């Protein structure tokens, strides 16, 4: 019965997405909803950007093992990313007529940087979307009692998201996000209240968390711990700023105020509401202590689904899996769309100019289908990798490769194309060296990469200018020489 209702829910969201797809008339409608979304929808769709499988399943599992210091990357870093975008990035980009974030790199640095950054951004989405697909497979596997294997569940989930994203683009994503976030907030809030009652009251849950020192946030005062703490904090905080899914939400706004305020409100809401799944998983330690201890050793991501299935009434089960699917589908639909639009607009058009807008729209839809297939293959191949780690790894490449050129391009007038290219090359090479050698165990690879990218931008931009200045012949001053 529960599985039947979940399938019915999937069919309803597909129907809503397809109805929304009727609004799509051109590529601007498909990519950025024709810049028609009001503030409320910008808030819900930015909130939905991050509230995915890792928030409901990954963050609680990480929190119960390491406390707040273990989740500095997400939700704290992820929510802070949206706040920083709203405060410092959205206003500048909204004033420009751009379809993708990579269009900015072209306008500021030229074609080469545009293509390189587009490839970096597209690559980063493999891990993020795979995390959502992995969670969908897990949901169907748990609901069917193991009858549906995880890979088959992944296929079912991808098809359900693809059904409306491929046709409706950003319009379908935004409208389904709006409805799914309502279900998510209501569902998880209700379950948190019910879990607190089962655990003997919210005060008992909080007291247990305090006794286990789970609210400890700051690292130990050692160079190693502080360096890795900072690296974790900035991975999504800075690495997600040059991302197409975040950019699409900014550019979809119907006004400058909506574009700047929406991400800030969405970021704060995300950080606050991410504590709800963490609260529920601490409740599980009281409600089913022995089973939770076993799952912590086996697969902590299954604690919440099993708690709901075995200890809560049917209505709560419907609410939980409705909320979980809402979180996954909202995140996955947007992140399927973003790299597909980037590929067509910033790479494919370089080699095959479009005859008209209709042809470009068709190409974008085909690309969504192809990228979905690639993600499915990657997700199946990555089985066993924790959802939280899939998401974390996704943003390191954009942190070391695309963040510095974007920020310096917006705020430093002396940034040059040479500086951007040196920044990208030095950042990625340093990061890869950290991952491939023992150096990464001493100093975090992504932090080393972003510092190298900073040095590359400064040296690559200033050194040629300095050499030009020093080689300029002395000009005599009239009346003195």
């Amino acid at each position: 019965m529960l599985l039947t209702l979940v399938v019915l829910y999937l069919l309803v969201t597909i129907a809503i997405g397809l109805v929304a797809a009727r609004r799509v008339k051109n590529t601007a409608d498909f990519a950025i909803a024709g810049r028609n979304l009001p503030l409320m929808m910008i808030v819900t769709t930015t909130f939905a950007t991050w509230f995915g499988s890792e928030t409901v399943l990954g963050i609680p599992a990480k929190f119960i093992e390491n406390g707040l210091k273990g989740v500095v990357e997400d939700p704290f870093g992820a929510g802070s990313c949206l706040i920083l975008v709203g405060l410092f990035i959205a206003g500048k980009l909204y004033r420009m007529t751009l379809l993708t974030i990579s269009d900015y790199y072209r306008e500021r640095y030229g074609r080469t940087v545009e293509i390189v950054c587009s490839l970096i951004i597209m690559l980063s989405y493999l891990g993020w979307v795979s995390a959502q697909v992995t969670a969908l497979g897990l949901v169907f596997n748990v609901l069917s009692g193991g009858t549906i294997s995880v890979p088959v569940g992944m296929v079912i989930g991808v098809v359900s998201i693809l059904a409306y994203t491929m046709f409706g683009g950003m319009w379908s994503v935004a409208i389904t996000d709006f409805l799914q976030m309502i279900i998510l907030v209501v569902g998880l809030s209700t379950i948190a209240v019910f879990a607190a009652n089962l655990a003997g009251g919210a005060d008992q849950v909080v007291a247990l968390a305090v006794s286990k020192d789970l609210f400890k946030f700051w690292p130990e005062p050692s160079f190693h711990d502080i360096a890795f703490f900072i690296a974790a904090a900035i991975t999504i905080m800075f690495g997600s700023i040059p991302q197409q899914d975040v950019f699409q939400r900014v550019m979809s706004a119907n006004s400058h105020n909506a574009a700047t305020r929406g991400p800030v409100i969405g970021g704060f809401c995300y950080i606050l509401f991410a504590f709800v799944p963490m609260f529920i998983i601490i409740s599980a330690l009281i409600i089913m202590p022995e089973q939770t201890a076993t799952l912590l050793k086996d697969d902590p991501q299954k604690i919440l689904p099993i708690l709901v299935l075995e200890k809560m009434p049917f209505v709560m089960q419907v609410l939980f899996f409705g909320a979980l699917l809402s979180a996954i589908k909202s995140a996955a639909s947007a992140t399927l769309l973003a790299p597909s639009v980037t590929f067509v607009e910033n790479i494919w058009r370089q080699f095959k100019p479009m005859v008209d807008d209709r042809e470009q729209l068709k190409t974008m839809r085909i690309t969504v289908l192809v990228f979905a297939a690639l993600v499915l293959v990657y997700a199946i191949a990555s089985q066993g990798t924790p959802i939280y780690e899939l998401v974390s790894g996704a943003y390191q490449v954009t942190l070391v490769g695309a963040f510095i050129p974007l920020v310096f391009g917006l705020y430093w007038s002396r940034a040059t194309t040479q500086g951007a290219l040196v920044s990208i090359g030095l950042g990625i090479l340093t990061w890869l060296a950290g991952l491939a050698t023992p150096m990464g165990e001493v100093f975090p690879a992504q932090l080393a990469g972003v510092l190298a990218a900073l040095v590359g931008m400064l040296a690559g931009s200033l050194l040629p200018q300095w050499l030009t200045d020093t080689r300029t012949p002395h000009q005599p001053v009239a009346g003195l020489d």
Side-chain angles (χ1 to χ4, degrees):
M1 184 61 180
L2 182 57
L3 183 59
T4 301
L5 288 175
V6 167
V7 172
L8 181 62
Y9 171 72
L10 292 178
L11 294 175
V12 170
T13 56
I14 290 171
I16 293 170
L18 291 176
V19 170
R22 297 170 62 183
R23 293 173 175 262
V24 176
K25 308 298 181 185
N26 52 49
T27 52
D29 289 336
F30 188 81
I32 52 176
R35 290 171 68 115
N36 285 314
L37 299 184
L39 175 61
M40 180 56 70
M41 292 190 75
I42 296 298
V43 171
T44 55
T45 197
T46 49
F47 178 84
T49 302
W50 298 140
F51 215 104
S53 60
E54 77 290 346
T55 315
V56 182
L57 300 177
I59 289 176
K62 200 79 172 178
F63 171 69
I64 204 169
E65 291 177 326
N66 303 295
L68 285 183
K69 67 180 179 181
V71 295
V72 61
E73 189 170 336
D74 191 6
F76 296 105
S80 298
C81 167
L82 293 177
I83 295 168
L84 291 174
V85 166
L87 293 176
F88 301 108
I89 307 294
K92 289 180 175 290
L93 293 180
Y94 188 79
R95 296 186 185 97
M96 306 172 71
T97 306
L98 305 172
L99 198 64
T100 69
I101 186 70
S102 295
D103 287 347
Y104 171 78
Y105 291 106
R106 181 184 65 243
E107 296 293 327
R108 185 64 174 83
Y109 299 114
R111 293 284 187 187
T112 302
V113 176
E114 172 197 11
I115 293 175
V116 172
C117 286
S118 296
L119 291 172
I120 289 171
I121 291 168
M122 288 168 56
L123 179 64
S124 72
Y125 280 104
L126 275 176
W128 172 261
V129 189
S130 294
Q132 315 312 315
V133 173
T134 299
L136 286 169
L138 181 64
V139 168
F140 283 104
N141 178 257
V142 170
L143 286 177
S144 65
T147 303
I148 299 176
S149 67
V150 172
V152 172
M154 291 180 183
V155 174
I156 296 171
V158 168
V159 170
S160 70
I161 297 165
L162 194 60
Y164 63 83
T165 306
M166 188 169 68
F167 295 101
M170 192 60 195
W171 266 118
S172 291
V173 169
I175 291 175
T176 52
D177 277 358
F178 181 77
L179 297 173
Q180 288 172 162
M181 286 307 99
I182 294 174
I183 295 171
L184 173 69
V185 171
V186 172
L188 286 183
S189 298
T190 305
I191 289 166
V193 172
F194 195 85
N197 290 333
L198 288 177
D203 57 331
Q204 297 296 319
V205 178
V206 174
L208 179 61
V210 171
S211 69
K212 290 182 172 293
D213 210 18
L214 293 178
F215 290 137
K216 185 177 181 180
F217 182 74
W218 300 109
E220 296 298 325
S222 67
F223 176 81
H224 178 275
D225 288 357
I226 292 173
F228 277 84
F229 180 84
I230 293 172
I234 67 171
T235 297
I236 300 182
M237 185 190 301
F238 294 161
S240 290
I241 289 179
Q243 284 285 16
Q244 175 62 16
D245 57 320
V246 176
F247 173 84
Q248 280 178 305
R249 280 144 178 76
V250 170
M251 298 303 290
S252 297
N254 62 4
S255 68
H256 182 272
N257 282 340
T260 54
R261 295 176 183 175
V264 174
I265 299 171
F268 277 115
C269 289
Y270 175 71
I271 293 173
L272 292 174
F273 200 74
F275 277 91
V276 175
M278 288 189 260
F279 176 88
I280 298 172
I281 202 168
I282 296 301
S283 303
L285 287 171
I286 300 174
I287 299 168
M288 49 179 207
E290 293 180 1
Q291 199 166 2
T292 301
T294 301
L295 288 170
L296 279 172
K297 297 176 182 177
D298 179 27
D299 187 355
Q301 295 170 158
K302 291 183 178 180
I303 293 175
L304 286 189
I306 290 177
L307 169 67
V308 173
L309 282 173
E310 296 189 2
K311 302 296 181 179
M312 295 191 181
F314 183 73
V315 173
M316 294 296 146
Q317 296 173 20
V318 173
L319 283 173
F320 174 77
F321 285 101
L324 177 57
L325 283 174
S326 295
I328 298 170
K329 285 170 65 65
S330 61
S333 59
T335 46
L336 273 180
L337 179 65
S340 305
V341 171
T342 298
F343 174 78
V344 175
E345 172 69 11
N346 302 108
I347 296 179
W348 185 251
R349 288 183 64 183
Q350 311 294 328
F351 306 101
K352 190 180 185 303
M354 302 296 170
V355 176
D356 53 29
D357 189 79
R358 188 174 181 180
E359 181 184 353
Q360 185 175 357
L361 178 58
K362 179 181 177 182
T363 307
M364 284 183 179
R365 285 170 168 159
I366 293 172
T367 307
V368 171
L369 176 62
V370 173
F371 188 76
L374 291 174
V375 165
L376 183 59
V377 172
Y378 182 80
I380 292 174
S382 301
Q383 282 188 80
T385 304
I387 291 171
Y388 195 94
E389 302 304 325
L390 283 171
V391 172
S392 171
Y395 292 106
Q396 292 188 21
V397 63
T398 45
L399 171 67
V400 302
F403 171 69
I404 294 295
L406 172 64
V407 173
F408 274 71
L410 289 172
Y411 283 98
W412 192 42
S413 61
R414 300 185 71 179
T416 65
T417 300
Q418 296 97 316
L421 289 172
V422 174
S423 173
I424 294 167
L426 197 57
I428 290 179
L429 287 175
T430 303
W431 171 63
L432 290 175
L435 294 178
T437 66
M439 181 183 72
E441 298 176 6
V442 178
F443 192 82
Q446 69 267 42
L447 183 55
V450 76
L451 291 175
L454 174 61
V455 172
M457 172 58 77
L458 295 174
S461 296
L462 294 178
L463 189 58
Q465 297 174 35
W466 178 77
L467 290 174
T468 300
D469 291 341
T470 58
R471 291 173 182 174
T472 302
H474 172 67
Q475 299 296 326
V477 179
L480 294 179
D481 292 352

